Amino acid sequence: MQYNNTLGYYDSHADKFYKSTVNIEFTTMQEKFLTKLEKGSNILDFGCGSGRDTKYFFEQGYNVEAIDGSAELCKLAGEYTGIKVKNILFQELSEVDKYDGIWACSSILHLPVGELDEVMKKMVIALKKNGIIYTSFKYGTFAGERNGRYFTDMTEEVFAVFLSGIDGLKIEEQWITSDVRPGRGEEKWLNLILRKS
């Protein structure tokens, strides 16, 4: 499974990845997501990485659960956020009707499209009625290994086709941004807010 190579990458580069992402200014995106939720809502940080967003949501008064497939990142994120970060794979999501919002920031893009389809269906089941998902993909049509990790890139057209195979989700908003990391501004991202209908 290609995804396992990606987890191996994050386990062996956890410290570097943590340091390069934990302090990134991401408030605009976080707030855009939170404006669609009631205070105190249940949020799942789905592939939480450094724990940056978990901590922010928690500090704003939301109930947050965090998971990541990398055991090493779970340790670092747990220390940073002060909450227990569960080490499980995206494919192991089994909650039903539990979350008001799922935050999948540059996380599920590591799944090959067949697995992404399966995981997105589990995300729909885990959401409450009218719940929302924020997710982001590198912009383009590439799928495969890049710098030791697997990526599925998306354009608006490619994602629309993908989503047509998933019942109960519609695109509420989509927009393109530049990468916020220093020196990466030329990289484009497709951001999506999806609502459970």
Side-chain angles (χ1 to χ4, degrees), residues 1 13 17 24 29 55 60 64 78 98 102 120 129 134 147 162 168 191:
M1 184 163 113
H13 295 81
F17 179 79
I24 284 171
M29 226 52 107
K55 187 174 171 112
Q60 304 307 309
V64 192
K98 183 171 186 186
I102 297 177
M120 195 69 93
K129 193 179 173 193
Y134 165 77
N147 305 326
F162 167 75
N191 301 272

mmCIF file of all heavy atoms in Angstrom, residues 1 13 17 24 29 55 60 64 78 98 102 120 129 134 147 162 168 191:
data_model
loop_
_atom_site.group_PDB
_atom_site.id
_atom_site.type_symbol
_atom_site.label_atom_id
_atom_site.label_comp_id
_atom_site.label_asym_id
_atom_site.label_seq_id
_atom_site.Cartn_x
_atom_site.Cartn_y
_atom_site.Cartn_z
ATOM 1 N N MET A 1 0.839 -1.194 0.000
ATOM 2 C CA MET A 1 0.000 0.000 0.000
ATOM 3 C C MET A 1 0.882 1.255 0.000
ATOM 4 O O MET A 1 1.719 1.436 0.876
ATOM 5 C CB MET A 1 -0.880 -0.037 1.270
ATOM 6 C CG MET A 1 -1.881 1.056 1.394
ATOM 7 S SD MET A 1 -3.100 0.586 2.626
ATOM 8 C CE MET A 1 -2.770 1.777 3.887
ATOM 9 N N HIS A 13 10.595 11.715 9.402
ATOM 10 C CA HIS A 13 10.830 13.162 9.272
ATOM 11 C C HIS A 13 9.934 13.965 10.231
ATOM 12 O O HIS A 13 9.731 15.160 10.036
ATOM 13 C CB HIS A 13 10.538 13.631 7.841
ATOM 14 C CG HIS A 13 11.451 13.053 6.809
ATOM 15 N ND1 HIS A 13 11.269 11.792 6.289
ATOM 16 C CD2 HIS A 13 12.560 13.560 6.203
ATOM 17 C CE1 HIS A 13 12.222 11.551 5.394
ATOM 18 N NE2 HIS A 13 13.019 12.597 5.330
ATOM 19 N N PHE A 17 9.150 17.996 10.057
ATOM 20 C CA PHE A 17 7.811 18.384 9.594
ATOM 21 C C PHE A 17 7.086 19.199 10.669
ATOM 22 O O PHE A 17 6.470 20.224 10.384
ATOM 23 C CB PHE A 17 6.993 17.133 9.230
ATOM 24 C CG PHE A 17 5.599 17.458 8.771
ATOM 25 C CD1 PHE A 17 5.355 17.904 7.480
ATOM 26 C CD2 PHE A 17 4.521 17.342 9.646
ATOM 27 C CE1 PHE A 17 4.067 18.227 7.064
ATOM 28 C CE2 PHE A 17 3.230 17.673 9.238
ATOM 29 C CZ PHE A 17 3.006 18.109 7.937
ATOM 30 N N ILE A 24 3.068 27.994 11.486
ATOM 31 C CA ILE A 24 2.573 28.672 10.288
ATOM 32 C C ILE A 24 1.281 29.427 10.617
ATOM 33 O O ILE A 24 0.394 28.903 11.285
ATOM 34 C CB ILE A 24 2.337 27.660 9.149
ATOM 35 C CG1 ILE A 24 3.690 27.261 8.544
ATOM 36 C CG2 ILE A 24 1.441 28.230 8.062
ATOM 37 C CD1 ILE A 24 3.606 26.136 7.569
ATOM 38 N N MET A 29 -7.802 30.573 7.298
ATOM 39 C CA MET A 29 -8.420 29.301 6.932
ATOM 40 C C MET A 29 -9.174 28.698 8.124
ATOM 41 O O MET A 29 -10.294 28.220 7.985
ATOM 42 C CB MET A 29 -7.307 28.349 6.491
ATOM 43 C CG MET A 29 -7.553 27.587 5.251
ATOM 44 S SD MET A 29 -8.040 28.568 3.844
ATOM 45 C CE MET A 29 -6.593 28.504 2.888
ATOM 46 N N LYS A 55 -4.912 22.614 18.331
ATOM 47 C CA LYS A 55 -4.692 23.521 19.450
ATOM 48 C C LYS A 55 -5.491 24.816 19.264
ATOM 49 O O LYS A 55 -6.122 25.309 20.202
ATOM 50 C CB LYS A 55 -3.195 23.837 19.581
ATOM 51 C CG LYS A 55 -2.854 24.637 20.839
ATOM 52 C CD LYS A 55 -1.349 24.794 21.002
ATOM 53 C CE LYS A 55 -1.024 25.757 22.112
ATOM 54 N NZ LYS A 55 -0.407 25.143 23.256
ATOM 55 N N GLN A 60 -10.235 28.039 20.970
ATOM 56 C CA GLN A 60 -11.403 28.857 20.617
ATOM 57 C C GLN A 60 -12.706 28.302 21.223
ATOM 58 O O GLN A 60 -13.783 28.811 20.950
ATOM 59 C CB GLN A 60 -11.573 28.945 19.087
ATOM 60 C CG GLN A 60 -10.362 29.458 18.335
ATOM 61 C CD GLN A 60 -9.836 30.783 18.851
ATOM 62 O OE1 GLN A 60 -10.590 31.734 18.999
ATOM 63 N NE2 GLN A 60 -8.550 30.837 19.147
ATOM 64 N N VAL A 64 -12.449 19.058 20.433
ATOM 65 C CA VAL A 64 -11.616 18.578 19.327
ATOM 66 C C VAL A 64 -11.060 17.191 19.613
ATOM 67 O O VAL A 64 -10.531 16.927 20.687
ATOM 68 C CB VAL A 64 -10.422 19.535 19.061
ATOM 69 C CG1 VAL A 64 -9.748 19.183 17.741
ATOM 70 C CG2 VAL A 64 -10.859 20.992 19.062
ATOM 71 N N GLY A 78 0.553 15.509 20.494
ATOM 72 C CA GLY A 78 -0.008 15.319 21.831
ATOM 73 C C GLY A 78 0.687 16.204 22.855
ATOM 74 O O GLY A 78 0.044 16.837 23.699
ATOM 75 N N LYS A 98 -21.230 11.813 14.522
ATOM 76 C CA LYS A 98 -20.574 12.322 15.728
ATOM 77 C C LYS A 98 -20.052 13.755 15.616
ATOM 78 O O LYS A 98 -20.055 14.500 16.593
ATOM 79 C CB LYS A 98 -19.405 11.394 16.085
ATOM 80 C CG LYS A 98 -18.706 11.819 17.370
ATOM 81 C CD LYS A 98 -17.704 10.799 17.856
ATOM 82 C CE LYS A 98 -17.142 11.209 19.210
ATOM 83 N NZ LYS A 98 -16.073 10.322 19.648
ATOM 84 N N ILE A 102 -15.316 18.174 10.159
ATOM 85 C CA ILE A 102 -14.072 17.397 10.010
ATOM 86 C C ILE A 102 -13.083 18.278 9.267
ATOM 87 O O ILE A 102 -13.371 18.788 8.181
ATOM 88 C CB ILE A 102 -14.299 16.070 9.245
ATOM 89 C CG1 ILE A 102 -15.248 15.153 10.031
ATOM 90 C CG2 ILE A 102 -12.953 15.366 9.004
ATOM 91 C CD1 ILE A 102 -15.584 13.839 9.328
ATOM 92 N N MET A 120 -13.644 8.983 2.199
ATOM 93 C CA MET A 120 -14.610 10.089 2.124
ATOM 94 C C MET A 120 -16.014 9.600 2.500
ATOM 95 O O MET A 120 -16.760 10.300 3.181
ATOM 96 C CB MET A 120 -14.592 10.669 0.713
ATOM 97 C CG MET A 120 -15.242 12.010 0.560
ATOM 98 S SD MET A 120 -14.390 13.397 1.356
ATOM 99 C CE MET A 120 -13.363 14.034 0.092
ATOM 100 N N LYS A 129 -25.796 15.443 10.546
ATOM 101 C CA LYS A 129 -26.547 16.052 9.454
ATOM 102 C C LYS A 129 -26.138 17.528 9.321
ATOM 103 O O LYS A 129 -25.987 18.220 10.330
ATOM 104 C CB LYS A 129 -28.044 15.951 9.776
ATOM 105 C CG LYS A 129 -28.930 16.268 8.602
ATOM 106 C CD LYS A 129 -30.402 16.134 8.974
ATOM 107 C CE LYS A 129 -31.252 16.632 7.832
ATOM 108 N NZ LYS A 129 -32.633 16.825 8.220
ATOM 109 N N TYR A 134 -13.683 20.460 5.816
ATOM 110 C CA TYR A 134 -12.709 21.279 5.087
ATOM 111 C C TYR A 134 -11.596 20.346 4.655
ATOM 112 O O TYR A 134 -11.092 19.549 5.459
ATOM 113 C CB TYR A 134 -12.112 22.403 5.958
ATOM 114 C CG TYR A 134 -10.856 22.986 5.320
ATOM 115 C CD1 TYR A 134 -10.967 23.876 4.249
ATOM 116 C CD2 TYR A 134 -9.591 22.599 5.724
ATOM 117 C CE1 TYR A 134 -9.825 24.363 3.615
ATOM 118 C CE2 TYR A 134 -8.441 23.076 5.101
ATOM 119 C CZ TYR A 134 -8.570 23.957 4.044
ATOM 120 O OH TYR A 134 -7.448 24.429 3.405
ATOM 121 N N ASN A 147 8.662 13.230 -3.769
ATOM 122 C CA ASN A 147 9.514 13.452 -2.583
ATOM 123 C C ASN A 147 9.232 12.464 -1.445
ATOM 124 O O ASN A 147 9.104 12.867 -0.291
ATOM 125 C CB ASN A 147 9.351 14.882 -2.051
ATOM 126 C CG ASN A 147 9.620 15.936 -3.120
ATOM 127 O OD1 ASN A 147 10.465 15.717 -3.971
ATOM 128 N ND2 ASN A 147 8.903 17.034 -3.084
ATOM 129 N N PHE A 162 -14.857 13.223 -9.068
ATOM 130 C CA PHE A 162 -14.641 12.346 -7.913
ATOM 131 C C PHE A 162 -15.843 12.397 -6.965
ATOM 132 O O PHE A 162 -16.380 11.370 -6.541
ATOM 133 C CB PHE A 162 -13.363 12.752 -7.178
ATOM 134 C CG PHE A 162 -13.212 12.120 -5.821
ATOM 135 C CD1 PHE A 162 -12.854 10.788 -5.691
ATOM 136 C CD2 PHE A 162 -13.452 12.851 -4.669
ATOM 137 C CE1 PHE A 162 -12.735 10.188 -4.439
ATOM 138 C CE2 PHE A 162 -13.335 12.268 -3.414
ATOM 139 C CZ PHE A 162 -12.976 10.931 -3.295
ATOM 140 N N GLY A 168 -24.386 12.221 -0.657
ATOM 141 C CA GLY A 168 -24.599 12.958 0.582
ATOM 142 C C GLY A 168 -23.619 14.080 0.861
ATOM 143 O O GLY A 168 -23.597 14.624 1.957
ATOM 144 N N ASN A 191 -8.761 24.369 -2.140
ATOM 145 C CA ASN A 191 -9.401 24.279 -0.825
ATOM 146 C C ASN A 191 -10.893 24.058 -1.025
ATOM 147 O O ASN A 191 -11.497 24.697 -1.902
ATOM 148 C CB ASN A 191 -9.206 25.590 -0.043
ATOM 149 C CG ASN A 191 -7.740 25.921 0.148
ATOM 150 O OD1 ASN A 191 -7.119 25.498 1.096
ATOM 151 N ND2 ASN A 191 -7.184 26.680 -0.788
#
